[in-house]
Amino acid sequence: MSASCGVTPSLRTELFTSSSKRTNFPAQTYKPRNKCEMSRRDFAVKGGIVASGVSVMGTPSQSVQGGSERLAYKPEGYNFWEWKGHKIHYVVQGEGLPIVLIHGFGASVFHWRYNIPELAKKYKVYALDLLGFGWSDKALIEYDAMVWTDQVIDFMKEVVKEPAVVVGNSLGGFTALTVAVGLPEQVTGVALLNSAGQFASESRKREEVDETVITKFIVKPVKEIFQRVVLGFLFWQAKQPSRIESVLKSVYKNTANVDDYLIESISKPATDPNAGEVYYRLMTRFLMNQSRYTLDSVLSQMTCPLLLLWGDLDPWVGPAKAEKIKAFYSNSSLVHLQAGHCPHDEVPEAVNIALLDWLSNVDSKPSSPKVI
C-alpha cells in the first residue's frame, strides 16, 4: 500500500464535494452495488496512516523484485514545482510519450518505486506527490477531491506540456479519471489500478449508512475538542511502524514487499510540520463529505482508452468493481492480477508488462472531446 494502498479511504475517499467553478459531473445511475465497501469509521481506525503521506527511505537503485530496478532514494527529494504557493514534489525520468503516475490516499511518488525505472526505458515518466501527502507541502486548506484534480491538471499544463497517459492507484485512479474529463485535449489514455470511486446507486446507499451510523452516533455528538483528542491518538497510533506494517500486510496478499523501505516511506512524512492537522482535516472534513461525483458521471464524459489493472485479491475493492467499469465504459480493457489493493508495488513485473503492452497500442494523439 503506498500509504495509498495501505489505506484507501474506505471508499469514502471515493466520494467528493462539488464546486461550481469546476467540471460538472451530472449524476448517472447504475444498479449493481459494490459489496467491497469499507465504512468511514473502519477507515479512520484501520486506515489512518494514509494521511501521513509518504517520503521513503531507501537505497540507491538496485536489482530487486526478480531483477526489477527500484527508484533511488534522495534525502533532498527529486524536483519541486510551485503550485498556488505550495511546493509539490515530483520525479521525472526517461524520454518519449509522457506518462503521469498518481499515487493513492496517503502515498507518494515512492510507491511507484518498481514502476518508474522500468517504464522510463521507453517513456518519459512523471510521478507527483498530491498536496498534503509525501514530500509535497502539508497545506492547511479545505480539502476536497477536486483540489487534487486541479493540481494534476495544472501540472500537466505547466510541467508536462504535451499529450500524456495518466495512471492512478486508489484515490489517484479517480483523480486520473477526473483529469481526463477536465483536460481531454491532453490526456490520451487512462490506466486504473484498483481505483476509488462509486457508482451513483452505491453512493446513495453509502450516504444512508453514513447518516445513520457515522453522522448520528459519532460526528454530531462529538465536539471538535474531543474529535481532536480521538483523532490525535489515531494519528499517533497510525504512524507507528508496527501499525503501518500490520495494515500493509492486510492489503498485500504477497507481503514480500512490505519492507523497511515501504514502512519508512509512510512513517517519515508523518513527522512533517502540519501533518497531524492535515490528517485531522482529511478525516473530519474530506472523508465525511457527501459525494456528488460518481464513476458513471465521470466515465460518461470521458473519451480516451481505459485500462483496468485490477488486483482481484483486494479486501477493499474487489474485481466486481472492475467488471462494472468495463461494462459501463466500452473503450476499456481489463487485466486481472493475483494481488491486493496495490498491485503496482506487490506484483510490479506483471503490472509493468501489462501496462507496456497496452501503451504500445495507445494513440499518442489526444482524443476529441465527446459531443453531447
Side-chain angles (χ1 to χ4, degrees):
M1 133 190 161
S2 69
S4 139
C5 161
V7 261
T8 57
S10 91
L11 299 185
R12 223 8 157 214
T13 319
E14 315 175 41
L15 303 184
F16 311 97
T17 302
S18 64
S19 169
S20 59
K21 296 181 180 180
R22 295 161 176 157
T23 304
N24 180 33
F25 301 122
Q28 303 289 325
T29 59
Y30 193 82
K31 293 183 180 180
R33 180 168 183 259
N34 183 0
K35 297 180 181 179
C36 301
E37 296 182 349
M38 182 182 183
S39 72
R40 290 179 183 141
R41 185 169 182 235
D42 286 340
F43 171 65
V45 176
K46 298 178 181 178
I49 60 178
V50 280
S52 308
V54 176
S55 181
V56 166
M57 288 194 63
T59 57
S61 181
Q62 57 183 315
S63 180
V64 290
Q65 263 292 321
S68 299
E69 293 180 16
R70 184 170 69 184
L71 180 67
Y73 166 71
K74 291 187 178 182
E76 70 280 11
Y78 280 80
N79 305 281
F80 290 89
W81 163 64
E82 184 170 323
W83 181 65
K84 297 185 177 181
H86 305 297
K87 284 173 53 178
I88 302 299
H89 178 236
Y90 73 96
V91 171
V92 56
Q93 290 187 4
E95 295 296 334
L97 172 72
I99 302 173
V100 178
L101 307 177
I102 311 174
H103 64 76
F105 202 90
S108 75
V109 300
F110 292 100
H111 205 212
W112 302 101
R113 54 184 173 163
Y114 296 119
N115 313 109
I116 294 172
E118 189 66 24
L119 296 175
K121 293 177 181 178
K122 294 188 64 177
Y123 300 96
K124 188 168 187 177
V125 183
Y126 295 87
L128 73 162
D129 287 345
L130 298 177
L131 187 67
F133 300 115
W135 287 3
S136 289
D137 282 350
K138 308 301 181 293
L140 301 182
I141 64 171
E142 297 304 311
Y143 287 91
D144 67 45
M146 301 312 290
V147 167
W148 300 309
T149 299
D150 292 345
Q151 175 194 335
V152 177
I153 285 178
D154 287 345
F155 181 81
M156 300 264 299
K157 291 179 178 179
E158 298 178 21
V159 180
V160 181
K161 297 181 180 179
E162 55 184 315
V165 170
V166 183
V167 181
N169 168 237
S170 195
L171 170 64
F174 193 89
T175 301
L177 292 175
T178 56
V179 168
V181 171
L183 196 64
E185 67 277 10
Q186 197 172 338
V187 177
T188 63
V190 172
L192 305 180
L193 297 100
N194 294 64
S195 179
Q198 293 179 308
F199 285 93
S201 58
E202 300 167 349
S203 178
R204 286 194 295 271
K205 181 64 176 179
R206 184 72 260 162
E207 288 171 6
E208 292 173 6
V209 173
D210 290 337
E211 173 61 27
T212 58
V213 178
I214 300 296
T215 307
K216 184 176 180 180
F217 296 109
I218 297 179
V219 178
K220 289 182 179 178
V222 181
K223 300 296 183 181
E224 180 177 351
I225 186 171
F226 295 110
Q227 288 179 324
R228 285 188 176 277
V229 170
V230 172
L231 291 174
F233 172 74
L234 289 176
F235 178 69
W236 172 84
Q237 182 187 55
K239 66 182 181 180
Q240 303 305 310
S242 60
R243 179 60 177 165
I244 293 171
E245 181 178 7
S246 175
V247 174
L248 285 167
K249 287 184 174 179
S250 74
V251 294
Y252 276 59
K253 293 306 176 181
N254 177 355
T255 60
N257 277 354
V258 180
D259 53 17
D260 292 342
Y261 180 115
L262 184 59
I263 294 172
E264 178 67 18
S265 77
I266 296 166
S267 61
K268 192 174 186 298
T271 65
D272 290 352
N274 299 330
E277 178 63 20
V278 169
Y279 176 86
Y280 173 79
R281 293 186 182 204
L282 287 168
M283 296 304 297
T284 60
R285 303 174 194 183
F286 170 58
L287 294 182
M288 298 299 178
N289 283 340
Q290 297 300 305
S291 171
R292 293 187 182 179
Y293 299 130
T294 60
L295 284 171
D296 29 349
S297 68
V298 176
L299 289 169
S300 66
Q301 298 184 65
M302 198 172 81
T303 59
C304 62
L306 173 64
L307 172 65
L308 303 167
L309 294 172
W310 221 266
D312 286 350
L313 306 180
D314 186 348
W316 294 345
V317 189
K321 175 181 282 187
E323 296 289 353
K324 290 180 185 178
I325 295 173
K326 188 176 187 303
F328 187 92
Y329 194 75
S330 60
N331 190 13
S332 61
S333 303
L334 173 59
V335 176
H336 292 281
L337 301 165
Q338 291 301 296
H341 189 64
C342 307
H344 57 295
D345 190 59
E346 185 178 343
V347 289
E349 297 97 334
V351 168
N352 291 339
I353 290 172
L355 188 55
L356 287 168
D357 180 64
W358 178 76
L359 285 168
S360 67
N361 296 313
V362 173
D363 189 347
S364 61
K365 296 180 181 180
S367 49
S368 303
K370 178 181 290 186
V371 178
I372 300 178

